[in-house]
Amino acid sequence: MKIIIDRYDGTQHYKQAYVVDKKDIEGKTLLSLLLFIKQNLDATLNFTASCRSAICGACGVRVNGHSVLACDEKMEELLATYDNPEVITVSPLANFRVISDLVVDWEPSIENLRKIRPTFIPKDEFSAEKGCKQTQAEYDKIQKQWDCILCGCCASECSKLTADSSDYMEPFVFTHAHRATFDSRGKDPMLHAKAAVLGGLWNCVHCQECADRCPKGISAADDIAALRVFTQKQGINTGEGPDHANAFLTDLVEGSGRLNEILLALRSEGAMAVSKTDIALKLMGAGKMNPLHIFGEEDIEGHKELVEMIKAARAAADKE
Ligand code: FES
């Protein structure tokens, strides 16, 4: 079979194909296969790895465009998922700067992690003598987020980072912000949560790719949603993101029950919505917007019951 690797030598990107026998992949993980290629076919191939046990996060790469942990992918099982198991392409993680072959630059991401202050800062009441206790229920709220191994798979898949990374941190940064914010022993949850807002908390485009591809089953998208709710409750509830979310819930879901793009844009962006007239005209042309609907639409069957359910859910959440 053929392994095509997207390589980079510091000046140019190119593809290089390596042919291996079926017996050379038997019982191997993708990482073992990369090591086999390096040791037997091409010593110049560069990639990173350490633990070989899916706990250090160093071996993230993409196979046929999707992010995986190389040490956690058994070759036979991986190939069985492809229509053409005779050829695969291995590439560096997307949305990172490539340093060499499959090695990417983590420094900007580490800098973003530093911004959300992921270290544990205990409440004043805790001391070395008293200890720093946490109930099982309190720990359960952040247990999943502790599983993040910083492999970068979520960032590699992130549609927002691919479109524009200038105003958005990596999804795993929000997962660590969630863990620090909701740690019951922490001194100041807002220290982490505010930094998440500044790092683009409201710019997530809800593609869910981060949740789909996380090798540990963590949903950064859910962590982002929880941080949004928390920061709104703490009074950080204005700006285009919160305004859009509030307008969507109160004006559309609880209002008419229909998606009214004109009303949503006006409520979310105010006068700035006028700058998107060209988009509105295109939506109208495609039959996706009816300008008359800004003045109201007929009732939808079952909508009143839906609104009651939302009210009940909100009351239950407030009690928590
Ligand atoms: S080598 Fe550590 S996670 Fe793969």
Side-chain angles (χ1 to χ4, degrees), residues 194-211:
K194 264 189 205 161
V197 173
L198 293 173
L201 183 69
W202 286 93
N203 295 336
C204 165
V205 296
H206 310 126
C207 69
Q208 300 290 330
E209 295 287 341
C210 55

Side-chain angles (χ1 to χ4, degrees), residues 26 34 70 84 113 152 179 195 200 203 213 218 225 254 257 288 300:
E26 278 172 17
L34 291 174
N84 180 6
L113 263 178
R179 190 223 349 113
N203 295 336
R213 302 305 302 191
I218 300 166
E254 294 181 307
K288 296 198 168 208
I300 299 175

Side-chain angles (χ1 to χ4, degrees), residues 249-317:
L249 179 61
T250 55
D251 294 338
L252 300 190
V253 179
E254 294 181 307
S256 66
R258 293 176 195 276
L259 180 59
N260 184 326
E261 299 276 6
I262 297 176
L263 189 61
L264 188 60
L266 286 172
R267 291 274 200 269
S268 310
E269 300 169 46
M272 287 299 291
V274 175
S275 66
K276 295 193 176 150
T277 308
D278 56 328
I279 299 173
L281 290 173
K282 277 185 196 155
L283 286 169
M284 282 179 210
K288 296 198 168 208
M289 272 176 66
N290 183 342
L292 296 177
H293 284 170
I294 196 169
F295 303 111
E297 300 165 69
E298 68 272 24
D299 288 343
I300 299 175
E301 192 184 337
H303 180 238
K304 281 197 182 80
E305 290 79 0
L306 173 70
V307 173
E308 287 308 314
M309 283 166 61
I310 293 170
K311 273 187 195 154
R314 195 180 273 143

